[in-house]
Amino acid sequence: MNRDRTAILITCHNRKAKTLACLAALFNQLLPAEVTLDVYLVDDGSTDGTTEVVRQTYPQVKILQGDGNLYWNRGMHKAFAEALKHDYDYYLWLNDDTVLYPDAIASLLTTSHHLAAQGEDKAIIVGSMAHPETGKLTYGGLARNSWWHPFKYKLVEPGQDPQPVDTMNGNCVLIPRSVVQAVGNLDPAFTHSIGDIDYGLRAQQQGCTVWVAPGYTGKCQTNPPQAHAWLAPELTLRQRWQKANQIKGFPPAESKVFCQRHASRLWFFFWILPYVRLVSISIFGAAEDNKT
C-alpha cells in the first residue's frame, strides 16, 4: 500500500484569485512517483464564482459547500472529516492564500520520514511561510516565550534541520495518520482561529510532537491582525467589546474552552485577563502600550 497517499485540505471564501494561485502551485508540485494527492476544497459560500472556475480548471478537486458561516476552522474541520473517511497516510492543511514552492510537499514528507526513522513516528510537520516581498517569516511553528503566560508564543525561524516547537499556525501543516489516530479532527468548538493552536497542543498531550520543517515551504502575506482590532485607542468600551466578541476576535465562549483545556488550574485567570485588559484600556487608555 502506498504510504504517501495524501489528502490536501483547503477552505476558501471569496478569494478566487488567491485560491486559484494556491491550487496552481499545488498542482505544480515536484513529487516522487509514490506520492499521490487528493484535494478537498470547502467553498464556504463564495459569491465570486470560485466553485465554478475551480470545477472548470481543476475537475479533480473534491469540492464541498459551506453556507458562509464556517470560517477557517470549521471549514477545515469539514474537509478533514470528509478526507478521514478514506484513511489517508497523510493530511495536509493548506491555506488558500499560500503559494507553495515546487518542492514543498516532497520536503515535508521527507522530513516526516526522517523523523519517523529516529523514533518520532507521531510527528506533525509545519511548513514556514515567507512574506512574498520581504522574505521574512510570517507563519509557521510557534514556541512559548513567556515563563508565566501559557499562551505567549513566538514564531520559530526555520533552519537546516527540523526543530521541535510547541504548536503552530495552520497555513501549511502535514499530519500523518498516526497523529490523526491519536488526536482526531480539528475541534469545531472554534469557528475561525485558535483551532490550529489547539490542535498542536492537544497533539502534545497525546504524546505526539510538533516540528518545523527545514527551510521555507511557501509564500504567504501576513493577514491584518483582526483579533487585536479592539486595541484601537479611539474605541468606546462598547465598540471595543463588540470587536473582541466577533468571530475573528476572541469570543469569550471559545476562549473559555481553550483556556480550560490548556491553562490547567489557572484557566479562569488567563481566560478573564484579556477582558480585564479591554475594560482597563477603555477606562485608562494607553492602548498604544499594549500591542501584542
Side-chain angles (χ1 to χ4, degrees):
M1 183 174 66
N2 194 327
R3 67 174 182 171
D4 288 343
R5 289 177 58 249
T6 304
I8 311 297
L9 313 178
I10 308 172
T11 190
C12 67
H13 175 73
N14 281 345
R15 299 200 294 192
K16 180 171 62 178
K18 289 186 176 181
T19 302
L20 289 174
C22 173
L23 290 173
L26 177 61
F27 284 109
N28 280 318
Q29 288 294 293
L30 303 175
L31 298 171
E34 67 271 16
V35 177
T36 59
L37 305 179
D38 289 335
V39 182
Y40 294 81
L41 172 69
V42 171
D43 184 350
D44 189 24
S46 293
T47 57
D48 63 352
T50 296
T51 288
E52 292 75 16
V53 73
V54 170
R55 280 181 177 153
Q56 292 172 3
T57 312
Y58 303 104
Q60 66 270 53
V61 172
K62 299 170 177 59
I63 301 177
L64 309 171
Q65 294 296 333
D67 61 2
N69 295 304
L70 293 175
Y71 291 84
W72 183 84
N73 188 73
R74 290 180 181 170
M76 293 296 283
H77 177 274
K78 184 179 180 72
F80 211 159
E82 184 63 26
L84 285 172
K85 297 175 183 178
H86 305 282
D87 191 30
Y88 287 91
D89 302 292
Y90 288 94
Y91 302 83
L92 179 74
W93 301 349
L94 182 61
N95 267 23
D96 77 318
D97 60 352
T98 293
V99 175
L100 295 176
Y101 295 143
D103 63 345
I105 293 178
S107 176
L108 294 174
L109 289 168
T110 297
T111 302
S112 178
H113 297 159
H114 173 74
L115 288 169
Q118 296 181 342
E120 297 288 349
D121 57 350
K122 292 194 293 183
I124 295 172
I125 312 299
V126 184
S128 299
M129 297 295 111
H131 193 284
E133 296 175 3
T134 67
K136 292 184 177 180
L137 178 63
T138 54
Y139 299 101
L142 300 172
R144 287 192 179 93
N145 67 341
S146 172
W147 64 268
W148 69 275
H149 200 304
F151 307 137
K152 296 293 184 182
Y153 299 101
K154 65 175 181 180
L155 283 165
V156 174
E157 289 279 352
Q160 295 183 342
D161 299 306
Q163 300 178 72
V165 290
D166 294 303
T167 187
M168 67 278 179
N169 300 132
N171 299 65
C172 180
V173 179
L174 183 70
I175 306 173
R177 179 196 286 120
S178 57
V179 170
V180 174
Q181 290 173 338
V183 185
N185 201 337
L186 287 153
D187 190 342
F190 309 110
T191 309
H192 183 64
S193 57
I194 307 181
D196 48 359
I197 295 174
D198 169 75
Y199 196 93
L201 297 177
R202 284 195 288 131
Q204 298 266 19
Q205 292 169 355
Q206 295 299 322
C208 307
T209 52
V210 185
W211 298 77
V212 173
Y216 282 92
T217 305
K219 299 182 291 185
C220 184
Q221 192 163 355
T222 308
N223 290 315
Q226 297 183 47
H228 296 139
W230 59 275
L231 287 171
E234 70 276 8
L235 298 177
T236 65
L237 175 57
R238 180 183 179 85
Q239 292 170 330
R240 210 177 293 282
W241 172 252
Q242 288 174 338
K243 287 187 175 294
N245 200 36
Q246 290 175 350
I247 288 173
K248 293 186 178 181
F250 54 108
E254 297 184 16
S255 177
K256 182 179 180 181
V257 171
F258 184 77
C259 290
Q260 285 181 317
R261 185 173 289 167
H262 302 297
S264 190
R265 297 177 181 177
L266 295 176
W267 72 265
F268 184 83
F269 171 77
F270 290 108
W271 174 52
I272 203 70
L273 188 61
Y275 308 108
V276 172
R277 181 181 175 194
L278 182 152
V279 174
S280 66
I281 288 173
S282 296
I283 295 175
F284 302 109
E288 66 275 7
D289 297 327
N290 290 277
K291 296 176 181 177
T292 59

